[in-house]
Amino acid sequence: MKKIARIIGIIVLILMIAIVCFVGYIKFFLPDISTPEGLKVDMSPANVEKGKYLANELMGCVGCHAKRDYTKFAGPIISESKGSGGEFWGENLGFPGSLFAPNITQGSLYNWTDGEIFRAIVNGVDKEGNALFPIMPYHQYGKLPKEDIYAVIAYIKTLEPKPEEYPERELNFPLNLIVNTMPQKATHHLKPDANDLVKHGEYIITAAVCFDCHTPMEKGRFIEEMAYAGGAEFKFESGGIVRSANLTPDKETGIGNWTKKQFVQRFKAYADSNFIFEKLWPPAILILICPGNIMPTFKERDLEAIYAYLMSLDPIKIR
């Protein structure tokens, strides 16, 4: 019996050492993604202008790194806060910890190289080598052409520097360790394709990160076979919940009966620059996660491409 107990003790000790080593590796050696050395983005007016559309409309970078007024319809961005961060996710909203969208103006990134900014956007690793939580959708941005990311970097470097700083992120255990496994190498395999509307739509919808909000999750992972089927829940401090819509071409629960014109008009209805969102509904009656006050500025061709791509998907019926 003593011999058996000794063997069991040795096995337990080995397992404990293995666990400690594994946790130590995750904590201290991941993520293992190097910085692109010597990267200098083109600061030409044309590249900055391209980045302006990508960062403000298509990818929504500047809007997410801002504060929003959730007492008004669609939670419009407070214009003077664009790029300065401040959007907050906490346990009261169902987030496993607390996180502020950081300041991405030169008031905060003044000592970041272009390569370090690039790595953060497409790989999810900050200047110090820390893993970013994928509420920053680097998994999607890493699929886009490098040239698009270069343009975004060029544009955000022209934003007015803001001094805002926010508390450090706090993630609950074990997510504070698991997050180190999330960064990944970028593929940059998607390209805009003017000759193929479906492929162009896949590029556009990836840049707009529609997948992340319109795909349900289970145990912290996206259910890939339910891509764009909706049902993802977004909680509000008031206690309300918004569930994302089914964007697949199911005729009963999705957009299968929508025409292209109806789909485009859904986003272009409020494109008139004189339209004031907050007057559409009394405060707090309806709040949207989908940036309805940004998508009207999408190019109509891009919205048509998104429609073409979504209609090419297999329909998924949801309950």
Side-chain angles (χ1 to χ4, degrees):
M1 292 296 293
K2 288 182 179 180
K3 185 175 181 181
I4 293 175
R6 194 181 307 115
I7 292 172
I8 292 175
I10 292 172
I11 292 173
V12 170
L13 179 61
I14 292 172
L15 286 174
M16 289 178 64
I17 293 172
I19 291 171
V20 169
C21 290
F22 180 67
V23 170
Y25 173 73
I26 292 176
K27 183 175 178 61
F28 298 110
F29 294 95
L30 293 181
D32 183 20
I33 298 178
S34 60
T35 304
E37 296 294 338
L39 175 62
K40 281 289 189 182
V41 301
D42 172 17
M43 294 298 296
S44 68
N47 205 38
V48 169
E49 188 64 24
K50 175 183 177 181
K52 181 179 181 180
Y53 175 66
L54 289 168
N56 281 282
E57 276 76 44
L58 196 55
M59 295 167 64
C61 313
V62 175
C64 195
H65 289 272
K67 298 181 181 71
R68 294 172 67 176
D69 184 353
Y70 284 112
T71 67
K72 298 175 181 177
F73 179 82
I77 294 160
I78 300 171
S79 59
E80 60 268 25
S81 74
K82 281 187 175 184
S84 66
E87 177 77 346
F88 175 72
W89 295 269
E91 292 185 341
N92 57 325
L93 303 178
F95 184 79
S98 62
L99 184 152
F100 286 88
N103 181 353
I104 60 170
T105 73
Q106 289 297 294
S108 178
L109 301 185
Y110 62 91
N111 63 344
W112 285 50
T113 67
D114 292 350
E116 288 167 343
I117 298 174
F118 180 85
R119 181 175 67 167
I121 295 173
V122 303
N123 301 125
V125 180
D126 70 10
K127 178 179 175 64
E128 286 74 34
N130 301 311
L132 302 179
F133 189 78
I135 201 165
M136 157 62 181
Y138 48 85
H139 293 129
Q140 304 300 333
Y141 293 159
K143 300 174 184 177
L144 304 180
K146 291 181 179 180
E147 293 73 21
D148 282 5
I149 311 304
Y150 297 159
V152 168
I153 295 170
Y155 171 70
I156 63 174
K157 288 176 68 174
T158 68
L159 294 174
E160 178 186 352
K162 300 289 180 65
E164 281 78 4
E165 295 183 3
Y166 305 97
E168 291 290 325
R169 174 193 75 194
E170 293 184 8
L171 298 176
N172 298 339
F173 179 84
L175 189 58
N176 60 339
L177 293 176
I178 295 173
V179 69
N180 290 342
T181 69
M182 294 178 178
Q184 62 184 28
K185 292 183 178 180
T187 61
H188 303 294
H189 65 280
L190 292 179
K191 311 286 183 185
D193 190 339
N195 298 316
D196 188 323
L197 203 60
V198 172
K199 285 186 178 180
H200 188 67
E202 182 182 12
Y203 157 78
I204 294 294
I205 204 170
T206 300
V209 199
C210 303
F211 174 92
D212 285 26
C213 289
H214 288 273
T215 302
M217 300 183 78
E218 188 174 63
K219 296 180 180 179
R221 293 184 177 275
F222 290 111
I223 306 173
E224 296 285 343
E225 60 270 24
M226 296 288 287
Y228 298 106
E233 294 188 349
F234 301 89
K235 297 181 181 180
F236 293 91
E237 194 167 4
S238 62
I241 295 176
V242 170
R243 294 179 179 86
S244 60
N246 182 358
L247 299 183
T248 74
D250 181 69
K251 292 185 179 295
E252 293 183 27
T253 64
I255 63 169
N257 291 319
W258 289 42
T259 65
K260 178 174 66 177
K261 182 178 180 180
Q262 288 172 325
F263 183 84
V264 172
Q265 185 60 27
R266 175 64 183 84
F267 299 104
K268 284 293 186 181
Y270 310 126
D272 187 337
S273 61
N274 294 318
F275 186 86
I276 302 175
F277 267 83
E278 54 264 35
K279 289 187 177 180
L280 185 62
W281 295 91
I285 292 295
L286 178 62
I287 295 177
L288 299 180
I289 288 293
C290 184
N293 53 340
I294 294 177
M295 293 194 75
T297 62
F298 274 31
K299 296 173 182 176
E300 190 164 322
R301 174 72 172 175
D302 288 347
L303 290 170
E304 291 175 351
I306 289 176
Y307 175 81
Y309 174 71
L310 290 173
M311 295 302 285
S312 75
L313 301 177
D314 291 333
I316 300 175
K317 183 174 292 187
I318 58 173
R319 297 177 182 178

